[in-house]
Amino acid sequence: MNAKTTPAAETSELIAPAAGIDIKAIAQLGADASAIQLATLAAPAGMVGVPASIPVALINGRQPEARAVATLFEPFRQHPARKAGQATAQTFESFCELTNRHKTANSVIFADADWRNPSFTAVIDYHEDVSGGLAAFGKHRIQYAFPLSEEWKKWIEMNGEPMKQAEFAYFLEDRVAELSSPTEHERATFEQQFQTKIATPAQVVELSRGLKINIDTKVKTATTLQSGEGQIAWEEAHNDVDGKPLKVPGLFMLNLAPFFMGEKVRIPVRLRYRPSGAMIMWSYQIYRPDQAINEHVRSTLAEVRSKTDLPAYEGTPEMSA
């Protein structure tokens, strides 16, 4: 008679583990796989600028920890969390259009009226303007740097810089197209204000030619006449093209556009010289170059207010980009 297995023995055979399988390891893997739980963490009372609560992931495996859910999703981000960066507009029209495209109820415009580097900056994500309003990051911006003309930059570059006689003579000759004859009103006003004579472009050209004639000649005398003009005599007989001492006007007029393709402005320029041994050193001083720039920036600031319907201020934002 063959022996029969009992039901208990049959059950024992059914649950017996296969060779090489660790039941405890499998159980631990199952526990680890279900160890992440989502929970909500409330913000402490009185914290400003943060959500009332945030989701966190509680990891209860072999090394328990709490993680921000956002860090788990960050590698899979398809869009930035907020707008940031600075766009550069090359024209005033593009600046207005870009600002209108992105502006919010709290956007503002700042105008830096520095006459050497004037610019507009639209801060799209600016602070709320109500009392006790929330602060913003101020990281999304649009900038427009006023394009200064090459002619203006050249005059500003050499403004107040001493030049040797040959250098100054060629400088005047190269820029004669930017000179202008004074109007009667300008002549009366500036000659009285500066107590000197104002030159026409022809007289400035004559001056530059006279300087080139005497480039290698020693200075004999350099005096100031009663009219306010200067008079320079050299040791050689021919002091200018006519053989007379060279008269130096105290002023001349510039007529040029400070901004690329902009309107021209008229600015008086003082002409200066001083003996330096046997030589003469020359320089010029533009009268109030900041005034022409500031007036243009302020008039354009009124225009940008109208085109964007945003508040605009002279200055710079308090936060960095």
Side-chain angles (χ1 to χ4, degrees):
M1 179 181 293
N2 294 329
K4 295 184 179 179
T5 59
T6 62
E10 291 177 355
T11 304
S12 175
E13 286 184 7
L14 289 175
I15 63 174
I21 294 180
D22 189 341
I23 293 295
K24 290 183 178 180
I26 293 175
Q28 184 62 49
L29 288 174
D32 290 347
S34 60
I36 298 178
Q37 295 178 325
L38 292 181
T40 300
L41 180 63
M47 290 194 71
V48 178
V50 298
S53 62
I54 59 171
V56 294
L58 301 178
I59 302 175
N60 300 313
R62 295 176 179 177
Q63 296 180 339
E65 62 176 312
R67 293 184 189 176
V69 172
T71 61
L72 301 176
F73 282 84
E74 197 65 33
F76 306 95
R77 179 177 293 281
Q78 296 177 337
H79 301 283
R82 63 178 66 87
K83 294 179 181 180
Q86 178 169 283
T88 301
Q90 294 185 340
T91 65
F92 176 68
E93 290 73 20
S94 293
F95 173 78
C96 294
E97 291 173 5
L98 271 172
T99 300
N100 284 331
R101 177 187 176 95
H102 294 287
K103 69 181 181 181
T104 68
N106 299 312
S107 299
V108 299
I109 295 172
F110 287 92
D112 187 348
D114 177 7
W115 66 274
R116 294 184 183 274
N117 295 291
S119 64
F120 284 164
T121 301
V123 183
I124 303 301
D125 52 337
Y126 197 64
H127 311 310
E128 291 184 356
D129 62 350
V130 296
S131 178
L134 296 176
F137 291 94
K139 299 297 183 182
H140 185 203
R141 304 183 178 200
I142 301 167
Q143 187 181 51
Y144 169 65
F146 285 84
L148 300 175
S149 69
E150 292 301 318
E151 296 83 2
W152 176 262
K153 287 191 288 187
K154 187 62 179 178
W155 280 100
I156 293 300
E157 177 187 352
M158 300 305 297
N159 187 40
E161 294 294 324
M163 289 179 271
K164 294 182 179 179
Q165 190 160 299
E167 183 183 5
F168 185 62
Y170 286 107
F171 179 87
L172 288 180
E173 190 172 68
D174 290 342
R175 314 226 70 85
V176 67
E178 291 137 28
L179 307 180
S180 177
S181 294
T183 64
E184 290 302 320
H185 175 71
E186 288 171 342
R187 184 181 296 278
T189 301
F190 294 133
E191 286 188 351
Q192 181 179 9
Q193 181 177 349
F194 293 100
Q195 293 296 301
T196 188
K197 291 291 184 180
I198 189 168
T200 64
Q203 290 170 325
V204 176
V205 171
E206 182 182 0
L207 171 66
S208 68
R209 291 176 179 172
L211 295 180
K212 285 194 290 185
I213 290 174
N214 294 282
I215 283 175
D216 298 319
T217 309
K218 292 184 178 180
V219 175
K220 183 178 180 181
T221 59
T223 58
T224 302
L225 305 177
Q226 188 174 2
S227 63
E229 294 174 299
Q231 180 173 277
I232 302 174
W234 282 268
E235 288 186 352
E236 290 187 0
H238 56 284
N239 297 301
D240 65 2
V241 291
D242 299 321
K244 300 176 182 178
L246 190 65
K247 288 187 177 182
V248 182
L251 284 173
F252 59 89
M253 293 296 301
L254 282 182
N255 184 35
L256 77 168
F259 301 99
F260 177 68
M261 297 186 68
E263 296 182 357
K264 292 185 176 182
V265 297
R266 301 176 63 81
I267 306 176
V269 180
R270 301 194 69 171
L271 183 56
R272 303 176 183 274
Y273 65 90
R274 60 178 176 83
S276 178
M279 301 173 56
I280 292 283
M281 297 299 292
W282 297 85
S283 65
Y284 62 85
Q285 194 75 43
I286 301 175
Y287 180 66
R288 295 295 307 275
D290 59 311
Q291 193 170 22
I293 300 296
N294 289 341
E295 286 180 359
H296 181 78
V297 172
R298 287 192 176 103
S299 65
T300 311
L301 190 59
E303 187 176 355
V304 81
R305 286 191 185 104
S306 174
K307 288 189 173 183
T308 63
D309 197 28
L310 290 177
Y313 309 97
E314 291 186 45
T316 55
E318 66 270 37
M319 75 283 280
S320 59

